[in-house]
Amino acid sequence: MKKILIMAALLASLDCLGCAAKPAEIRIVPAPENLETGKGTLNLRGISINCDPALDMPSIRAVRQFADRLSLVSGRTSSVATPIGLARVVENGKFKGLFFIKDASVAPEGYRISVTPRSAIVRASSFNGVLYALQTLRQMLPLSIYGTKPDTDAKWNIPCCEISDTPRFAYRGLMLDCCRHFWSVDEVKKVLDVMAIYKLNRLHWHLSDDQGWRIEIDKYPRLTEVGAFRNGTMIGGDWESNDGIRYGGYYTKDQIRDVIAYAAERGITIVPEIDLPGHMQAALTSYPELGCAGSQPQPYEVWTRWGVSRQVLNVGKESTMKFLEDVLGEVADLFPGEYIHIGGDECPRDEWKTDPDCQAKIAELGLTGEGDISAESRLQNYVTARMQKFLASKGKKIIGWDEILEGELSPGATVMSWRGTAGGIKAASMGYDVIMAPTTYCYIDYVQSSDLTAEPFSITHQWTKGDVAERPISLERVYGYDPLAEIPAGDQSHILGVQCNLWTEYIATPEHLEYMLFPRLMALSEISWSKPENKDFDAFKGGLAARQLPLLDMFGINYRKLDQ
Ligand code: ACM
């Protein structure tokens, strides 16, 4: 395979943005599986576009959007037809134009593109495959294809090439914490826009935590009336401080439906998270009867500081189980994806040791401690299993943070490995599906360089003595991660994919959020999509400088500049 580089055909776009006029290598991100460049180019300006009517409506709509934008920016109309029998015509190789053909032999989410000086033929078997082919075509065109201003001086050529491309992993995700700080629908959509360009397909939406409840639940209005707002926030890294400014927000169900639809149009499924049975202080503030006897401090308050609250749900009470099922029922009805994330991380079980309801439930279930698995730990297993069963009755599967593996876990659960890679390795060996999201490579709330004086305050600053971070999660570190590296060959099919997590305790503005996300999100794109043999950090970084970062500039994104 030739190196995955598309050369000077794209220079016009760089010129028009005022970038350096010297020849540059443009590299598609994420690197495709196979790309062979040929001689010559195909001019897409005014090209006729034909869609196989066998493609689904969302695919045809996506092609039409592409055609409309191409017409606008290139200054010549490209109309889209859906002629019957198109696939046969294309087989004959007689026609000029850009063709989109449904081809069941192409892998899910994969696509093939064949470009000659007369035609470009795109083949895909799925909506996402069509979307990803369009994203690759855009990456071969001048940058102004992403804009709305005519750029008639640009050369609307794409290089002759043969591309066949499939993702390495089916799950390519980003977790966004909307609890510690709240992100508007517009900001979430902006993130989705960029995820789509880089072929990421899951947004894990962290919607409940100690510091704020962010999703409207009809049966429990106080969750948002009370639980969505806190009376201030700690300042910087000072645990004892409080800025005294009331802070909060939540998403209405209509807003959530809007975001789900927006994501779906971009090939992205939302995985909502309701974190239980810990990280529930906002819910406890809304409905104190969900808490444990003697829980202190009282009254509950939506937490104004970071960390892990020791105040957790009283899971010994049937009424708490009903609350959880009611909430998860509404969440399951709202979100169309197959997975609901039920958290499960960092649940201190001290309160359960003395709470009479929890102890009675432990006795009723006959739970006993053994080794380092306590009876209270098994009580959490019981909660996980009940929610898993309840959600299965709604046609949903659960994902949980790797703590759900402690003790017993029912078959069919998916484990999200965050405390390093050990949980994921173990879960896969036990036959569970796994998403790798280890702190050691994928926590993009951590600082991006070892020089703490040069970076905005972060969780790494909070933990580090002195000015040097030992293990920053730099662009190169994220890029260097191979989610299968430590997984025995026989277990690898259980690794569904990889995710970066952006916790937002120390991130309060969209500008800072974007600084933490980009360009590490592009590294995530490549570790989740590209085969290891096609990865090359220097070429990736060169491509960022030449093409991807100017694109982020066009989108008004405050990314972190590359290290020289
Ligand atoms: C986590 O970072 N507590 C999953």
Side-chain angles (χ1 to χ4, degrees), residues 279 345-346 401 403 418 443 501 503:
H279 287 283
D345 59 322
E346 299 176 317
W401 298 110
E403 285 92 333
W418 73 278
Y443 266 47
N501 292 337
W503 300 106

